[in-house]
Amino acid sequence: MTTETVSATPGQRAWPQLRRLWRVARVLAHILLGLVLALVFGAFWAPYRPVVRRIARWWLQHLLGILNVQVAVQGTAPDAGHFLVSNHVSWLDIPVLAAQTDVYFLSKAEVRDWPLIGHLAAAAGTLFIRRGSGESRQKAEEIAGHLRHGHNILVFPEGTTTDGRSVRRFFRQLFTAPLLAQVPVQPVALCYHDRHGEPDRGIAFIDDDAFHTHLWAMLLRDEVPVAVMFGEPVLATDETPEALSQQCHRTILQAVTGR
């Protein structure tokens, strides 16, 4: 018995590209909708109001639907007043995590200048820090103030993204914030795996990747599976920033690599 290889028809070859263009249109429309909602509900000057938080989470959940991101969650996301730390693989980490619980992010200052996305990040209450500028102590005190008011704050203590195969050393300075506020620290692990169970290099946003080219490539995918693992909170009492960072690093590294 012989097996004939049938080449794809022009219509079959064109369909993925047409679907991608349709998704581009939906993403752009959704971003514009986000800007309109931010203006109508005053998110640019009052991002911490409950109605703004509800709308932001709804908007992020629908964005994940447009991108066909399939999220599998393990563990329990916090309700309020937690300092969360996560490994960092992609810009996609932010909508994935923010869709799970009400959380504010600490982000590099460059994100503020991204077209459209930077404005939405500011409207969502993102705290920005300029790397290497000596702002860490000042920003830790600012974060502690938000934590005392019951806000969840999430940071990426690696300071950059990776390819998802391991976890870089954590910068310990920001772990001063939960000690100042005396709130729990919760480690969170993110894993993007391909169909073979290996870290998905195509999702990693590293090196000289540009946002628009990364998004363009991702929109060709049928789905983007991601596992989010919320670890057990650690009570920040007599610990030092160094000890807290090392404990969270071990927890996340084990979840990501299995060792």
Side-chain angles (χ1 to χ4, degrees), residues 132-180:
S133 65
E135 287 188 40
S136 296
R137 177 67 189 188
Q138 178 183 347
K139 193 59 65 172
E141 293 174 353
E142 181 181 345
I143 291 171
H146 285 279
L147 291 168
R148 293 189 189 100
H149 282 88
H151 298 155
N152 290 321
I153 302 292
L154 189 145
V155 303
F156 299 110
E158 293 168 285
T160 186
T161 53
T162 72
D163 62 6
R165 292 182 295 180
S166 188
V167 182
R168 292 192 179 192
R169 177 178 64 88
F170 283 178
F171 290 99
R172 67 179 184 273
Q173 290 87 344
L174 292 173
F175 285 82
T176 303
L179 291 172
L180 291 173

Side-chain angles (χ1 to χ4, degrees), residues 5 9 29 32 50 55 58-59 76 83 86 98 103 105 137 167 179 185 197 208 211 216-217 228 232 239 242 247 254:
T5 301
T9 66
L32 291 175
I55 291 170
W58 171 88
W59 186 90
T76 304
F83 182 80
S86 173
V103 62
F105 291 87
R137 177 67 189 188
V167 182
L179 291 172
V185 180
D208 296 324
F211 173 75
W216 177 250
V228 180
E232 289 296 321
E239 300 283 356
E242 178 70 22
Q247 184 173 353
Q254 183 176 19

Side-chain angles (χ1 to χ4, degrees), residues 15-255:
W15 168 244
Q17 300 299 332
L18 292 173
R19 183 180 59 185
R20 175 158 66 175
L21 289 173
W22 169 238
R23 285 180 175 174
V24 168
R26 293 180 65 195
V27 168
L28 290 175
H30 196 61
I31 290 174
L32 291 175
L33 173 62
L35 291 171
V36 170
L37 291 173
L39 284 171
V40 169
F41 289 94
F44 292 111
W45 49 89
Y48 307 117
R49 293 166 56 216
V51 65
V52 173
R53 306 309 304 159
R54 289 194 298 270
I55 291 170
R57 193 170 175 188
W58 171 88
W59 186 90
L60 289 163
Q61 289 169 344
H62 279 261
L63 176 64
L64 295 181
I66 293 172
L67 300 176
N68 206 11
V69 177
Q70 308 295 321
V71 184
V73 179
Q74 299 177 28
T76 304
D79 290 327
H82 282 57
F83 182 80
L84 296 94
V85 296
S86 173
N87 61 311
H88 200 11
V89 180
S90 172
W91 60 268
L92 192 59
D93 301 347
I94 293 174
V96 165
L97 292 169
Q100 310 311 314
T101 188
D102 186 17
V103 62
Y104 300 92
F105 291 87
L106 182 69
S107 177
K108 61 183 181 181
E110 292 86 343
V111 172
R112 191 198 296 266
D113 299 324
W114 287 8
L116 298 181
I117 298 297
H119 294 291
L120 287 173
T126 300
L127 306 174
F128 297 98
I129 186 169
R130 194 167 300 281
R131 291 176 294 185
S133 65
E135 287 188 40
S136 296
R137 177 67 189 188
Q138 178 183 347
K139 193 59 65 172
E141 293 174 353
E142 181 181 345
I143 291 171
H146 285 279
L147 291 168
R148 293 189 189 100
H149 282 88
H151 298 155
N152 290 321
I153 302 292
L154 189 145
V155 303
F156 299 110
E158 293 168 285
T160 186
T161 53
T162 72
D163 62 6
R165 292 182 295 180
S166 188
V167 182
R168 292 192 179 192
R169 177 178 64 88
F170 283 178
F171 290 99
R172 67 179 184 273
Q173 290 87 344
L174 292 173
F175 285 82
T176 303
L179 291 172
L180 291 173
Q182 288 293 285
V183 299
V185 180
Q186 186 163 16
V188 186
L190 288 167
C191 296
Y192 299 89
H193 287 149
D194 60 22
R195 67 183 64 182
H196 305 295
E198 297 296 324
D200 193 336
R201 174 61 181 81
I203 296 300
F205 187 63
I206 56 177
D207 301 326
D208 296 324
D209 288 346
F211 173 75
H212 63 281
T213 55
H214 190 273
L215 176 61
W216 177 250
M218 197 177 73
L219 290 174
L220 199 59
R221 291 169 171 259
D222 291 330
E223 63 179 14
V224 179
V226 54
V228 180
M229 291 157 279
F230 289 96
E232 289 296 321
V234 179
L235 295 179
T237 53
D238 298 328
E239 300 283 356
T240 64
E242 178 70 22
L244 274 176
S245 68
Q246 290 178 350
Q247 184 173 353
C248 290
H249 186 274
R250 286 194 298 269
T251 300
I252 295 172
L253 179 65
Q254 183 176 19

